Amino acid sequence: MSFRTRLILAYTILWVLILALTLTIALYSINFGLYGQVERTLLRYVNEVAELYASGRAGEISLPRSGPVSVSFYSSGGQLLIAPAPDFEHKVPKNYIRAASSTAKPYYASSFMAAYQAIPGAVVAVSQDTRYIESISTTVRNTLIQGLAFLLPLGALLIVLAARLSLIPLHRAASEVDKRGPRNLEPIHYTGPKDDLGVMVEKVNDLLGELREAQARERAFLAEVSHELRTPLTSLNGYLERLSRNPGDAEMLERARKIAAHTARMVQDLLALARGEAERSVNAHIVNLGDLLRQAVGEYPGVVLKMPSEFPEVLGDPDRLLQLARNLIANAVRAAGAPEKVQVRVWMVKEPTDNPPDPYETAHELRTTSTPEMKPPKQPWAAFAVVDRGPGIAPEVLPRLFTRFARGPEGGTGLGLAIAKQIAEAHGGEIRVASRPGETRFTVFLPLLLEEES
């Protein structure tokens, strides 16, 4: 069942309920009004008769022999004393007459209504035939049913037309959405008001825009990865070709090993990023951050490591943290152009900031940052910064620097920083970047292992 059919059916049922409720209220209002008017008239008339009798002017009471109102008298025991006609039918039951008092009370029967009140030595009753009310009610009911029988299909037809007209923008939008797919992510054209449908179309257009950007990033990423893999694989094939002619060439063998190790690491980074392993698989150990950074720096001869003689420990995965340090150092060496222009500095801070106090540097140059100032938990943190004296990072590049598939100004596959951010956050820490012309620093903050935890 389509949405339009469900909507028409729902409004048709609602229309039927409204008509039935209208008929019920109309009939109830008519009956209530007519019976109420008769009751008020009879109570007023019986009260007037009782007052005339009590004031000694009983002779002024006129007993109509015909007409809508009849006056009759009963004994206190309930016997009919005076009736307006021999075939008088509007008799009030004896138990009501016996319970009569000086206050007028109504009595309802199937074909008449009466009002009775006690007077000295008797009970007076005033009655009126009410069958005409039922006749009026029946006539009105039949008339209303005929009118509603006409309004029901007319209303249903109007509901169908209104539903079709009101759902035209929705069907147009749905048709446009149906045309969208992996090869067509253009925004949906919508000219209607900014109601619920307009907001929905706007959100869908935002989603389509994000998908277009994601596709563009993935295409660029695949192009970069294919290029990055083609270069080392071509070199590796060349080295292997030379080794096949000269198996004893140790230099060619060492170069081939380095190329193979670099390619294997790149493939591992791709798999880790695709699977989200950097976020999930953290095998926590007590890690001496100084020893770990010495190992990472040792893989890049020329990089300078500055750190205190003794350094507290952190709780983390040594393999993941080593991967984080390698990625940052590799990016810094590539950006600076030489390992001698890169330093790794280690110290402790009270809280993470974009420009943390650096005990190895006293100048406070203005740097452009990529992260807003945050309010992390108050606890001691280990901080290590990878600082390079490269050209710096343009301010427009900083906001997307840690985005997957985003390529930095120094080149590369755009994987290292995304993986580094995942690893830092998986350890309860964070990574920040600050840059100015001639210097860029990536600072990693990791919660220190407290003494009672060790």
Side-chain angles (χ1 to χ4, degrees), residues 171-181 188 200-201 204 208:
H171 281 282
R172 288 177 178 173
S175 176
E176 291 294 322
V177 171
D178 188 58
K179 296 177 183 177
R180 299 303 182 266
I188 298 171
M200 183 184 69
V201 172
V204 172
L208 291 174

Side-chain angles (χ1 to χ4, degrees), residues 166-203:
S166 61
L167 292 178
I168 287 177
L170 179 60
H171 281 282
R172 288 177 178 173
S175 176
E176 291 294 322
V177 171
D178 188 58
K179 296 177 183 177
R180 299 303 182 266
R183 298 184 180 181
N184 182 11
L185 297 176
E186 294 301 317
I188 298 171
H189 181 66
Y190 177 75
T191 58
K194 195 173 181 180
D195 50 7
D196 293 343
L197 178 59
V199 172
M200 183 184 69
V201 172
E202 182 179 354
K203 296 300 182 183

Side-chain angles (χ1 to χ4, degrees), residues 230-278:
R230 186 185 301 113
T231 301
L233 290 177
T234 302
S235 300
L236 183 60
N237 285 331
Y239 293 142
L240 293 176
E241 182 70 24
R242 294 182 184 179
L243 284 172
S244 65
R245 294 193 299 266
N246 186 11
D249 191 340
E251 182 182 356
M252 288 297 105
L253 180 61
E254 182 63 24
R255 289 182 181 179
R257 286 176 177 173
K258 289 184 178 180
I259 291 293
H262 172 73
T263 306
R265 186 175 302 168
M266 183 185 302
V267 173
Q268 289 175 357
D269 288 347
L270 285 168
L271 293 176
L273 189 63
R275 298 171 182 170
E277 291 178 356

Side-chain angles (χ1 to χ4, degrees), residues 165-408:
L165 292 176
S166 61
L167 292 178
I168 287 177
L170 179 60
H171 281 282
R172 288 177 178 173
S175 176
E176 291 294 322
V177 171
D178 188 58
K179 296 177 183 177
R180 299 303 182 266
R183 298 184 180 181
N184 182 11
L185 297 176
E186 294 301 317
I188 298 171
H189 181 66
Y190 177 75
T191 58
K194 195 173 181 180
D195 50 7
D196 293 343
L197 178 59
V199 172
M200 183 184 69
V201 172
E202 182 179 354
K203 296 300 182 183
V204 172
N205 285 336
D206 293 341
L207 179 60
L208 291 174
E210 293 178 1
L211 290 175
R212 287 197 305 274
E213 294 179 0
Q215 281 189 349
R217 288 196 301 268
E218 290 179 2
R219 285 194 294 268
F221 166 72
L222 292 175
E224 290 293 337
V225 168
S226 62
H227 174 73
E228 292 291 334
L229 289 176
R230 186 185 301 113
T231 301
L233 290 177
T234 302
S235 300
L236 183 60
N237 285 331
Y239 293 142
L240 293 176
E241 182 70 24
R242 294 182 184 179
L243 284 172
S244 65
R245 294 193 299 266
N246 186 11
D249 191 340
E251 182 182 356
M252 288 297 105
L253 180 61
E254 182 63 24
R255 289 182 181 179
R257 286 176 177 173
K258 289 184 178 180
I259 291 293
H262 172 73
T263 306
R265 186 175 302 168
M266 183 185 302
V267 173
Q268 289 175 357
D269 288 347
L270 285 168
L271 293 176
L273 189 63
R275 298 171 182 170
E277 291 178 356
E279 296 176 335
R280 296 194 300 266
S281 57
V282 174
N283 188 13
H285 295 81
I286 297 177
V287 179
N288 188 303
L289 192 59
D291 295 341
L292 186 143
L293 291 175
R294 287 191 190 95
Q295 179 181 349
V297 171
E299 298 177 7
Y300 298 87
V303 176
V304 178
L305 175 62
K306 293 185 177 182
M307 60 179 296
S309 57
E310 294 184 2
F311 198 80
E313 298 166 322
V314 297
L315 187 65
D317 188 326
D319 293 334
R320 295 297 180 192
L321 292 177
L322 184 59
Q323 183 184 12
L324 185 156
R326 283 171 175 165
N327 289 347
L328 294 181
I329 296 173
N331 282 347
V333 170
R334 185 163 50 246
E340 292 76 14
K341 295 182 180 181
V342 177
Q343 289 186 358
V344 178
R345 305 169 182 175
V346 189
W347 71 100
M348 289 181 292
V349 296
K350 294 182 179 180
E351 59 181 342
T353 60
D354 286 325
N355 291 289
D358 188 342
Y360 307 100
E361 185 178 79
T362 57
H364 296 283
E365 297 92 345
L366 178 64
R367 296 184 181 91
T368 303
T369 63
S370 68
T371 52
E373 288 298 329
M374 303 173 66
K375 294 183 179 180
K378 295 292 184 181
Q379 67 177 65
W381 295 78
F384 75 89
V386 179
V387 185
D388 69 76
R389 297 196 302 274
I393 302 174
E396 62 271 13
V397 177
L398 285 173
R400 57 181 177 83
L401 201 58
F402 294 102
T403 305
R404 292 182 177 187
F405 311 136
R407 186 182 179 190

